[in-house]
Amino acid sequence: MTLPPGPQVLTDLPLAIDPAEVLRFQGYKQGRDVPSPEVRALFEEALAEGRRLMAPRVVARWAPVTRRRADGVEVDGESLAIPSIGPRWGAVAHVAAAVCTIGEALERRVSALWEARELPLASMLDSVGSGAVESLAEYVNDLLCRQGLPSLRVTNRISPGYGEWDVAEQRPLFRLCPGDAIGVTLNAACVMTPGKSISLLVGAGPDARVDHYFSQCARCWMRDCAYRRAPPRASIRRA
Ligand code: SF4
């Protein structure tokens, strides 16, 4: 197994959008709240518009870990401070940093809809964008897992600003994997532009602890993976 050297820029990516995820962004609780026919119609309208506007792009880069600590890793001269990552990931020998985005066109359309006071469609389209970029980040996690196979086990993704990982850690992550290759920038407050972007980190190693917060395989898009650890249960399929 050889991990791809240097940054990988991926465009023209398959992208599936999970309606349940979009409705979750709208405040619906899965298994409890049932959307009305009007809401379903609004979702379909926003989905069609979103598909037209999205341009998924990803940049990802693998690098060897030079030092592991209970609360961080050192990679390529960068020190990433990540609470409890040592016990959560175990013995990782490599990390991959990635930045993904669906581009800025959807956000511009949402702003125009707000200004035109088309609020329900604006809100639903914004949720479609949020669902899409989450789906893209999961696709990237699956892709990185596939790149590590068969000898490396790849962990679940984590992102600065989520859980206990400080958002300021966007800076070392962006130094490891600059987002400008796909048009994603970071401001002084560590907020990404376009807004519908996600940065992430995974670890990999022969003895890495995987699935530390959910089963990656259970919703992975890769149909015929010989290394699958759990049967697929999600309905989303991208390939
Ligand atoms: S099925 Fe599981 S092991 Fe195979 S690529 Fe997907 S997440 Fe990785």
Side-chain angles (χ1 to χ4, degrees), residues 142-185:
D142 300 340
L143 191 71
L144 295 169
C145 183
R146 189 174 58 168
Q147 291 179 348
L149 292 172
S151 53
L152 298 181
R153 291 158 61 83
V154 175
T155 70
N156 293 142
R157 65 189 160 103
I158 56 172
S159 296
Y162 288 85
E164 299 166 308
W165 197 13
D166 197 309
V167 72
E169 293 281 304
Q170 289 276 37
R171 292 194 191 97
L173 190 151
F174 264 65
R175 285 194 292 271
L176 282 174
C177 182
D180 50 9
I182 55 165
V184 178
T185 58

Side-chain angles (χ1 to χ4, degrees), residues 35 109 139 157 182 235:
R109 177 65 179 143
Y139 171 80
R157 65 189 160 103
I182 55 165
S235 57

Side-chain angles (χ1 to χ4, degrees), residues 142 145-146 149 216-217 220 222 225 227-229:
D142 300 340
C145 183
R146 189 174 58 168
L149 292 172
Q216 194 66 37
C217 299
C220 179
M222 207 171 155
C225 178
Y227 305 92
R228 182 176 284 282
R229 300 181 294 270

Side-chain angles (χ1 to χ4, degrees), residues 54-113:
M54 283 182 248
R57 308 188 284 268
V58 174
V59 58
R61 181 183 163 225
W62 285 101
V65 171
T66 48
R67 186 160 173 233
R68 282 190 288 122
R69 305 185 311 269
D71 287 329
V73 285
E74 287 176 21
V75 184
D76 202 16
E78 295 294 339
S79 183
L80 296 157
I82 313 169
S84 304
I85 204 62
R88 282 182 187 148
W89 278 2
V92 292
H94 308 264
V95 296
V99 182
C100 47
T101 187
I102 58 163
E104 56 290 304
L106 183 142
E107 284 167 55
R108 279 205 294 265
R109 177 65 179 143
V110 168
S111 297
L113 287 166

